[in-house]
Amino acid sequence: MGFQYAVAREGVTPVANDTLLALMTNAAAVSVIARVNEIFVGGEATASAVNRYVLRRATGVGATPTAQVAAELSSSGPAAQVTAATTFTTQPTTAAAPAIWTGAMNAFGGVIRWVAAPGQEMLVTGAVAADSQVSFESGSGTSVISCQIIFEEL
């Protein structure tokens, strides 16, 4: 079992098809696998509105990411080797990629918490675009949310 990490954004306004959070293994100095164990989204809108979210593999990697340091869930864990990002100057190509996770909610206080059943975790690995990068993004809706991905390095 590897160390677990979290990446999150607070009080963000989604833009359809733009990255909210991304995990990338293509920049890792050593061979590393990120296993996505949990996705959380909490609505902070001031009125009722539906937002839809997707997690997709990138068919073309994003350029110039705004990096985010993954928070260690263990006080004794090493720094993450997986690169996390909150956005890109040039967004990853994901439109043609099927979603590997989809969720929708009322952003006026609604919550999505997806926890992988054992053996059903999503893996991010390698240095090839389709395998090495996943992007959590808004499929539709622009109401304010906070979101988080918890992953484990293997």
Side-chain angles (χ1 to χ4, degrees):
M1 188 161 151
F3 288 99
Q4 292 195 359
Y5 303 87
V7 292
R9 292 191 68 185
E10 301 170 359
V12 63
T13 301
V15 175
N17 302 315
D18 276 5
T19 298
L20 289 162
L21 293 169
L23 297 176
M24 301 164 286
T25 60
N26 55 330
V30 296
S31 183
V32 64
I33 297 171
R35 178 167 56 192
V36 177
N37 294 325
E38 182 176 334
I39 297 172
F40 173 85
V41 184
E44 300 177 18
T46 57
S48 184
V50 174
N51 283 18
R52 181 180 304 119
Y53 304 96
V54 295
L55 185 72
R56 291 191 169 109
R57 294 193 188 282
T59 55
V61 296
T64 318
T66 300
Q68 182 185 63
V69 176
E72 303 167 35
L73 297 186
S74 167
S75 60
S76 63
Q81 296 177 44
V82 170
T83 303
T86 56
T87 191
F88 296 83
T89 302
T90 303
Q91 292 292 318
T93 306
T94 61
I100 56 176
W101 178 89
T102 301
M105 67 172 203
N106 185 337
F108 185 48
V111 169
I112 299 172
R113 182 174 183 236
W114 173 85
V115 179
Q120 295 183 348
E121 303 91 348
M122 294 169 276
L123 301 178
V124 187
T125 183
V128 178
D131 298 326
S132 69
Q133 189 175 79
V134 292
S135 180
F136 178 73
E137 54 195 45
S138 171
S140 65
T142 58
S143 296
V144 176
I145 60 148
S146 288
C147 56
Q148 173 177 277
I149 293 176
I150 295 177
F151 68 95
E152 180 180 5
E153 287 187 347
L154 304 176

